[in-house]
Amino acid sequence: MYDLGMKYNVGMLKGPHYDGPPVTIETLPEFPHYTGLRRQHTVEYWMLASLLYPENGTRQQEAVRVLNPDSADVFFVPFFSSLSYDTYHNQGNETESKFDDQLQAEIVDFLQKSKYWKRSAGRDHVIPMQHPNAFKHYRDKVNAAIFVVADFGRPSPSVSNLRKDVVAPYGHVVETFEADDFSDPYDSRRTLLFFRGKTKRKAEGKDRKQLEKILSGQKDVVFEANGVAEGGVNASTKGMRSSKFCLDPAGDTPSSCRLFDAIVSHCVPVIVSDKIELPYEDEIDYNKFSIFFSREEAKKEGYILDQLKRISKTKWLEMWRYVKNITHHFEYQYPPKNGDAVSMLWRQVEHKLPAVKLAVHRNRRLKVPDWWR
């Protein structure tokens, strides 16, 4: 992990423009109790924190920080690009927006001068960019690196794609349902389908308006077109915990935090997004605990409800048990634990390494790069 001053990472948790020496285990601040976007796009903090946590032999660590760069498999760049966007660029202040751009430019300049970046052209570097607008103007300058993203809705495929990058879960906004131990969880969840969220969205998220017209007012359906500001977290928590299925349509990009809120609420997700990519999908089969509809199918009058009503109690209980058993894979926490979200993400990074090493080794010896094209 590169040693970067605090203005590039945890300093932003202390206040705008706060700077200091590189963060250590002693100076790592606790993560604030954010709600909304800042809580959703927090993977950068948890990945950094996991590398500061000392080895103690009591748990299996997927990634361990080494102090000798020549022994590193990958290089982590601890720039909080999502928090930088939310802190500076997302406030409508042109001067502050320019400061976010300045930080991005400084990181690019720093990396391009690093001999370790030059050695691999950045292919073995890991850069979190979970917010869809994070690192917005400079992504193409570092696009050989492994990005940690929420989805691929905004950047072009030449900049970010599933072949080289890692999909991370959003930080869930509702609290995990710890006491979900009813004798009959199926009958205790009286609502068939639940949705609460904004319906005025961009791109595929525009479907939410049509879904509202189709589903709002239907028997056993709760469809509330409200956001977090209108008491949304408490209302979503209550609604998801009392529903069998939770609707997860696309937002401004193909993914939505709602999926992960549903998972930790043990509410079977109903996913409507044609271009969504899912975290750790080489290890987790989402078909075992989720229902998928294409955008076209979802907008057919009565289709979603008809399909959900066909799912038997036995089948639903099977999906419910499965989602309960994998909930811990979607928890960001410190200290980190085996099998939690950060542990799974580092394993996903490891899965990218064979292709990275192949590209690095070939490029060192090829006189004519990519001769077969």
Side-chain angles (χ1 to χ4, degrees):
M1 178 166 68
Y2 285 103
D3 283 325
L4 298 178
M6 285 190 180
K7 73 175 183 179
Y8 298 106
N9 43 67
V10 299
M12 288 178 256
L13 298 175
K14 297 175 178 289
H17 305 283
Y18 183 95
D19 200 5
V23 63
T24 65
I25 187 68
E26 291 79 19
T27 60
L28 177 71
E30 289 187 13
F31 195 83
H33 185 70
Y34 287 141
T35 59
L37 285 175
R38 289 196 175 190
R39 186 165 178 179
Q40 295 175 32
H41 302 127
T42 55
V43 66
E44 53 206 14
Y45 173 88
W46 305 110
M47 294 185 81
L48 179 150
S50 73
L51 295 178
L52 293 177
Y53 192 68
E55 292 183 83
N56 57 17
T58 61
R59 69 181 189 94
Q60 178 185 352
Q61 292 177 259
E62 297 292 343
V64 176
R65 186 184 188 186
V66 293
L67 300 181
N68 177 7
D70 290 318
S71 65
D73 292 306
V74 294
F75 293 79
F76 182 68
V77 182
F79 174 44
F80 287 7
S81 58
S82 296
L83 186 55
S84 181
Y85 181 83
D86 282 331
T87 301
Y88 301 115
H89 214 114
N90 207 22
Q91 306 304 320
N93 183 307
E94 185 177 351
T95 301
E96 294 293 79
S97 295
K98 288 180 178 178
F99 189 71
D100 175 42
D101 293 339
Q102 177 186 324
L103 291 180
Q104 296 175 45
E106 289 173 3
I107 290 293
V108 171
D109 182 64
F110 172 83
L111 290 173
Q112 291 180 343
K113 290 177 179 176
S114 164
K115 72 174 185 178
Y116 298 102
W117 177 275
K118 293 176 182 177
R119 187 175 67 180
S120 68
R123 290 182 180 87
D124 55 2
H125 284 54
V126 179
I127 309 178
M129 298 185 187
Q130 197 174 21
H131 192 291
N133 291 326
F135 229 118
K136 183 177 181 179
H137 301 300
Y138 290 88
R139 285 191 180 196
D140 61 331
K141 305 291 185 184
V142 292
N143 65 339
I146 300 169
F147 296 163
V148 182
V149 300
D151 58 38
F152 303 103
R154 295 272 170 87
S156 71
S158 63
V159 171
S160 184
N161 56 73
L162 193 58
R163 176 186 57 80
K164 73 175 186 69
D165 297 333
V166 170
V167 178
Y170 291 73
H172 55 85
V173 175
V174 306
E175 295 298 324
T176 303
F177 195 4
E178 302 287 359
D180 189 9
D181 54 2
F182 299 99
S183 59
D184 192 338
Y186 183 86
D187 288 337
S188 70
R189 293 175 178 252
R190 301 299 180 94
T191 301
L192 176 67
L193 180 64
F194 176 83
F195 173 85
R196 182 184 172 92
K198 292 183 178 180
T199 54
K200 189 177 180 180
R201 301 279 77 173
K202 305 171 186 175
E204 289 187 15
K206 293 178 180 178
D207 291 347
R208 293 186 181 189
K209 276 289 185 185
Q210 291 177 267
L211 292 172
E212 181 182 15
K213 292 178 181 178
I214 294 170
L215 296 170
S216 186
Q218 295 292 322
K219 183 182 178 182
D220 299 328
V221 173
V222 173
F223 195 108
E224 299 175 345
N226 293 300
V228 173
E230 297 85 20
V233 174
N234 290 336
S236 292
T237 299
K238 182 178 179 180
M240 288 184 166
R241 293 182 180 185
S242 59
S243 302
K244 296 177 177 68
F245 299 96
C246 287
L247 184 65
D248 176 44
D252 289 338
T253 64
S255 62
S256 165
C257 179
R258 196 161 286 95
L259 167 61
F260 307 102
D261 287 344
I263 288 173
V264 301
S265 301
H266 311 149
C267 181
V268 173
V270 176
I271 299 173
V272 181
S273 178
D274 291 348
K275 298 179 181 178
I276 193 170
E277 295 295 346
L278 299 165
Y280 349 119
E281 202 166 3
D282 58 344
E283 298 191 58
I284 293 178
D285 183 358
Y286 284 76
N287 290 288
K288 291 184 176 179
F289 64 91
S290 305
I291 307 296
F292 292 88
F293 293 105
S294 70
R295 295 173 64 200
E296 183 180 354
E297 290 171 335
K299 288 182 282 189
K300 293 178 182 177
E301 194 79 34
Y303 185 78
I304 287 181
L305 294 182
D306 179 62
Q307 295 300 309
L308 295 183
K309 289 173 182 177
R310 291 170 184 257
I311 296 173
S312 68
K313 179 177 180 178
T314 300
K315 178 62 177 177
W316 184 88
L317 286 170
E318 181 183 313
M319 301 176 85
W320 173 80
R321 292 189 188 99
Y322 193 95
V323 76
K324 278 192 70 176
N325 287 333
I326 52 90
T327 296
H328 64 290
H329 294 320
F330 299 90
E331 300 286 1
Y332 291 109
Q333 57 201 338
Y334 186 83
K337 295 181 181 179
N338 292 340
D340 68 6
V342 165
S343 175
M344 296 290 284
L345 286 173
W346 282 122
R347 202 150 72 210
Q348 290 296 300
V349 170
E350 185 180 12
H351 295 172
K352 302 293 182 181
L353 291 186
V356 167
K357 290 179 179 178
L358 173 62
V360 170
H361 294 168
R362 288 185 72 255
N363 282 354
R364 285 179 185 170
R365 57 92 177 166
L366 282 178
K367 302 299 182 183
V368 182
D370 295 343
W371 55 266
W372 68 92
R373 291 186 177 180

